[in-house]
Amino acid sequence: MKNEAKMSLLDSLKNVIEAKKRKIEIFSYIIGLISFILLGKLIGNNGVAYMAVIVESIGLFVLMIHGRSADLIGRLIRSRRKKNQYKEAGELFKAIVMIQIIAAVVMMVVYFFLTDILATVIFKLPFLSVALKILTPVIILSVLQSAV
C-alpha cells in the first residue's frame, strides 16, 4: 500500500512537471515570435527571411526525428513502473534515447549535406547555406532536450 501511494505521488508530480514544461515551451515560442518581429526592424526583410528558413528547416528535421516521442516515452515508462518493473523501465528509456540520438546524428549529417540544395535550389537564398551549416548541431541538441 505504501509503495502504491509513493507511485501515485510520483506520477502526479511528473504530470505537474510535464504541464510546466509545456508552458515553458509555449512561452519560449512566444518569445521567439516577438524576437522575429523586433529583429525584423533591425535586420530588414532579408534577415527575417534567413531566420525564418533556418527555424522552419531545423524544426522540420527535428520533427521528423522525435515528433511527440516524449509523451510516448512517458507513457511506456509509467506503465512499466506501475507494474514494479523498474529495471525494464530504465532499460527501455536508455534504448529509446539511444535510438533518438542515432537518428539525430544521421539527420544532422543529412541536413549538413543538404544545406546547399536547401539554400540555393529550394529557397533561392545563396548565402543561407553557411548559416544552416553553422546551426546544424541544434538538431541533436533539440532531440536530446526533448528526450530527457
Side-chain angles (χ1 to χ4, degrees):
M1 185 69 179
K2 218 179 204 184
N3 196 14
E4 290 177 16
K6 286 181 183 178
M7 290 305 299
S8 65
L9 181 64
L10 284 174
D11 287 339
S12 65
L13 183 63
K14 283 194 171 211
N15 290 336
V16 169
I17 292 171
E18 288 175 9
K20 287 185 179 184
K21 183 179 176 184
R22 290 191 197 281
K23 287 179 184 176
I24 291 171
E25 288 173 357
I26 291 170
F27 185 68
S28 64
Y29 183 74
I30 291 170
I31 290 174
L33 286 176
I34 292 170
S35 66
F36 265 110
I37 293 169
L38 295 177
L39 286 175
K41 293 180 181 180
L42 294 174
I43 59 179
N45 291 338
N46 290 338
V48 172
Y50 285 137
M51 286 177 52
V53 169
I54 290 169
V55 168
E56 292 299 321
S57 63
I58 287 176
L60 176 68
F61 273 77
V62 169
L63 185 65
M64 285 193 289
I65 296 169
H66 72 81
R68 301 299 291 168
S69 63
D71 295 334
L72 176 66
I73 293 170
R75 284 189 211 128
L76 288 172
I77 290 175
R78 266 186 246 129
S79 69
R80 297 275 197 255
R81 292 176 79 196
K82 284 183 181 177
K83 297 175 187 175
N84 293 329
Q85 298 173 345
Y86 300 109
K87 187 176 180 182
E88 289 181 21
E91 291 172 2
L92 179 68
F93 178 74
K94 288 177 187 175
I96 291 173
V97 169
M98 283 304 290
I99 289 170
Q100 283 188 329
I101 289 172
I102 291 169
V105 169
V106 169
M107 289 301 267
M108 192 173 69
V109 170
V110 168
Y111 185 78
F112 185 82
F113 289 115
L114 287 179
T115 55
D116 292 327
I117 295 170
L118 284 171
T120 56
V121 176
I122 296 174
F123 297 114
K124 296 180 179 35
L125 299 169
F127 300 111
L128 180 67
S129 64
V130 175
L132 289 174
K133 286 181 180 180
I134 290 171
L135 292 173
T136 300
V138 170
I139 293 173
I140 195 162
L141 294 175
S142 178
V143 169
L144 287 175
Q145 180 266 335
S146 70
V148 178

